[in-house]
Amino acid sequence: QSVLTQPPSASGTPGQRVTISCSGSSSNIGSNTVNWYQQLPGTAPKLLIYNNNQRPSGVPDRFSGSKSGTSASLAISGLQSEDEADYYCAAWDDSLNGPVFGGGTKLTVL
Amino acid sequence: QVQLQESGPGLVKPSEALSLTCSVSGDSVSSYYWGWIRQPPGKGLEWIGHIFYSGSTNYNPSFKSRVTISLDTSKNQFSLKLSSVTAADTAVYYCARVGVGRDGFDVWGQGTMVTVSS
């Protein structure tokens, strides 16, 4: 059971916009910033979004993040086949005194 | 270009200790924070612990009594030791750099699969 809650799956067609939600509590998302990771099949996770809505260098602006209260969202616009991956949200948890992850959302591009 | 590479046994017997090393190139372990994360087969990510450039550590309470993370600045490496392993510790183990804030893992190793089995 993950501390942060994500839908197990999401899907969309090429060109579509999809969003993935991440729900937490006051001890994590409610009081700290959210990071998102993309894990392509068989590879290590990659930092996709940090500090709620910042993109590391090299990440396309098709990816965007937002946060409100104890929830966060990742949006992917102009969906492409190479976006098919698992996506994880994460945030520092003040009770754990460390980062917690969501269970992951498997994105399928139809 | 910063690169991390995990190394260690791929098979560990139950009740024994799991030991992994992360070799860092392109950066110094004397800067930033460094962490270990694991992923059981078909499951999500789980934070194990951090080590700071000062050598101080921060562990997930779920592992606290079994885990030790250490730093070797002379070899530019950091290590993970997890004692008294069971089949539940079977996972891909990743080392990573915390390059953003206190929890943004911006550089990851490729991961190493560790199986706990007799």
Side-chain angles (χ1 to χ4, degrees):
Chain A
Q1 190 91 5
S2 300
V3 175
L4 305 181
T5 301
Q6 299 179 235
S9 63
S11 63
T13 55
Q16 231 180 359
R17 181 179 189 271
V18 298
T19 61
I20 297 172
S21 63
C22 176
S23 177
S25 67
S26 58
S27 66
N28 41 67
I29 294 178
S31 52
N32 297 291
T33 59
V34 177
N35 302 319
W36 289 90
Y37 298 89
Q38 177 193 56
Q39 187 175 33
L40 297 170
T43 69
K46 167 191 168 184
L47 183 63
L48 195 65
I49 297 286
Y50 66 95
N51 290 354
N52 302 327
N53 54 21
Q54 302 299 301
R55 287 185 306 276
S57 174
V59 173
D61 60 6
R62 301 187 295 105
F63 294 90
S64 62
S66 64
K67 184 187 109 167
S68 178
T70 58
S71 295
S73 291
L74 172 71
I76 309 172
S77 59
L79 198 62
Q80 300 180 3
S81 58
E82 56 260 39
D83 298 334
E84 193 159 281
D86 293 325
Y87 292 85
Y88 294 89
C89 60
W92 188 270
D93 188 282
D94 294 332
S95 299
L96 184 71
N97 196 30
V100 290
F101 291 91
T105 298
K106 184 175 184 62
L107 175 64
T108 301
V109 180
L110 302 170
Chain B
Q1 182 185 358
V2 182
Q3 291 186 316
L4 281 64
Q5 178 68 57
E6 305 89 350
S7 60
L11 180 65
V12 181
K13 289 182 168 54
S15 80
E16 294 188 348
L18 175 163
S19 293
L20 298 174
T21 296
C22 183
S23 299
V24 179
S25 59
D27 197 358
S28 169
V29 296
S30 297
S31 58
Y32 293 104
Y33 302 167
W34 306 90
W36 287 96
I37 303 101
R38 74 178 187 180
Q39 185 172 35
K43 296 188 177 180
L45 303 167
E46 183 176 32
W47 170 69
I48 300 172
H50 278 80
I51 187 162
F52 305 97
Y53 49 80
S54 63
S56 62
T57 54
N58 185 23
Y59 300 135
N60 186 328
S62 298
F63 300 96
K64 199 159 190 176
S65 61
R66 300 195 292 137
V67 65
T68 303
I69 298 176
S70 58
L71 204 61
D72 188 336
T73 56
S74 66
K75 295 182 179 179
N76 214 36
Q77 297 174 337
F78 62 103
S79 299
L80 169 71
K81 183 177 179 181
L82 187 64
S83 62
S84 305
V85 298
T86 69
D89 294 310
T90 294
V92 175
Y93 286 76
Y94 295 101
C95 60
R97 184 183 79 173
V98 181
V100 179
R102 57 182 170 173
D103 61 339
F105 299 103
D106 67 337
V107 182
W108 294 66
Q110 66 183 25
T112 187
M113 180 68 198
V114 179
T115 301
V116 178
S117 174
S118 55

